[in-house]
Amino acid sequence: FIPENYGTTFKFGHTFEILEEYETVDETTDATGNYKIEAGQQWDQVLMEYLRGQRQQPVWGYGGNNHLCENQNDNKLGSVRTVFLVREKKRRSLLEAMRKGRMYAVRQNAGNRLSLDEFFIEDQKTGRQATLGQELTLTDFPTLKIKLRSIKGENNTAQIQIIRNGILAKQETVSLPYKLTWRDLSNKQGERAYYRIKVSINSIEYLVSNPIFVKFSDSSNEVAPLPPFTQKPTPTPPKIKSATPP
């Protein structure tokens, strides 16, 4: 169910869909066999179109199950879920989160799944932060903060990928639970950018976040004008009367 005027969404799970004006293209991979959620593939391509001004709004990702997926290739109905970032479990809150991209998708196995407990970008100079689906105006290099775990507390090993503008900016293999604070010094602080993450335990257990957008303030290039120069009047020296001889 996609409400009207809720933007363009990108579905992944047992099948992958691009919903363009509510017309669907249902394929697991593209023509070259690449998954659309991998760095530089179809999802990143349409996100870059948004950054270049070719789209009025970004494309959000969510997880779903094909109604024919049960017992096909070890797929189970309910194994792909969407986790919404909401303050209350109400329909209006969920639809608002979907409209604004405040959600991530996860595929689980045997009742256990990855949990993205924290993902935001911070400006260390101003203290401002932004999370999924939001945009942050920066005055410094972006600092990414991430917390990951397995909901059953298992000490799994996972691969985490940080994707910036379709390029793999950082990748490492970590042990769960995991906490990361990373300052992206390679960002040239020029044009707008986005960051999203993909975390994989194996080919059937993974998590994909929606992007966080950043742009850079040009206030540092602005120089406050000096106050107008006002010439002070030159003081008149006091007159000294000569002493009159007696």
Side-chain angles (χ1 to χ4, degrees):
F1 168 62
I2 302 296
E4 292 184 1
N5 301 322
Y6 266 64
T8 305
T9 58
F10 176 92
K11 175 184 174 184
F12 47 90
H14 302 143
T15 59
F16 299 88
E17 291 184 70
I18 291 288
L19 302 183
E20 299 283 359
E21 301 297 333
Y22 312 115
E23 295 180 2
T24 64
V25 178
D26 189 353
E27 298 175 352
T28 302
T29 59
D30 61 17
T32 62
N34 294 312
Y35 281 93
K36 298 175 182 178
I37 56 176
E38 299 298 335
Q41 297 305 313
Q42 190 168 354
W43 192 17
D44 285 319
Q45 292 167 17
V46 295
L47 287 173
M48 289 302 299
E49 290 176 358
Y50 168 69
L51 291 187
R52 291 191 293 264
Q54 297 171 333
R55 291 176 176 266
Q56 294 183 351
Q57 55 193 4
V59 175
W60 305 128
Y62 72 99
N65 297 268
N66 191 309
H67 69 286
L68 300 176
C69 71
E70 187 71 13
N71 295 323
Q72 293 186 10
N73 299 322
D74 295 325
N75 292 325
K76 297 292 184 182
L77 188 65
S79 61
V80 179
R81 303 191 179 195
T82 300
V83 180
F84 294 90
L85 305 186
V86 295
R87 296 185 181 276
E88 53 185 359
K89 294 181 180 179
K90 293 185 177 180
R91 182 177 184 273
R92 183 175 62 180
S93 299
L94 292 173
L95 292 179
E96 182 72 3
M98 175 177 281
R99 186 176 68 86
K100 294 187 176 181
R102 294 198 300 266
M103 55 190 172
Y104 66 89
V106 60
R107 184 174 182 180
Q108 66 187 53
N109 182 37
N112 193 27
R113 66 171 174 84
L114 291 165
S115 177
L116 182 60
D117 293 343
E118 184 177 276
F119 177 33
F120 63 86
I121 298 178
E122 180 180 69
D123 185 322
Q124 291 188 332
K125 289 185 177 180
T126 64
R128 292 194 296 261
Q129 297 176 348
T131 187
L132 304 178
Q134 296 179 335
E135 183 171 74
L136 178 65
T137 300
L138 294 167
T139 61
D140 193 11
F141 291 103
T143 299
L144 282 71
K145 296 191 175 183
I146 299 170
K147 285 184 182 179
L148 287 164
R149 65 182 173 91
S150 173
I151 61 172
K152 289 190 174 181
E154 298 178 0
N155 296 323
N156 290 318
T157 299
Q159 182 188 74
I160 180 171
Q161 297 179 337
I162 300 177
I163 300 166
R164 180 191 67 227
N165 288 13
I167 298 173
L168 191 58
K170 183 177 179 63
Q171 175 176 282
E172 58 183 18
T173 300
V174 302
S175 296
L176 302 177
Y178 176 69
K179 182 178 180 180
L180 171 69
T181 298
W182 177 59
R183 194 163 179 245
D184 186 9
L185 300 178
S186 64
N187 193 309
K188 297 181 180 180
Q189 300 190 39
E191 300 177 352
R192 295 172 68 193
Y194 68 84
Y195 292 83
R196 64 180 184 90
I197 62 174
K198 180 177 183 287
V199 185
S200 304
I201 294 178
N202 51 51
S203 61
I204 60 173
E205 294 179 82
Y206 54 86
L207 177 154
V208 181
S209 80
N210 270 297
I212 303 175
F213 297 91
V214 299
K215 61 181 179 180
F216 296 91
S217 171
D218 57 358
S219 59
S220 59
N221 298 325
E222 296 177 0
V223 180
L226 294 174
F229 176 74
T230 304
Q231 184 173 3
K232 296 181 179 180
T234 304
T236 303
K239 294 181 180 180
I240 302 176
K241 295 183 179 180
S242 58
T244 301

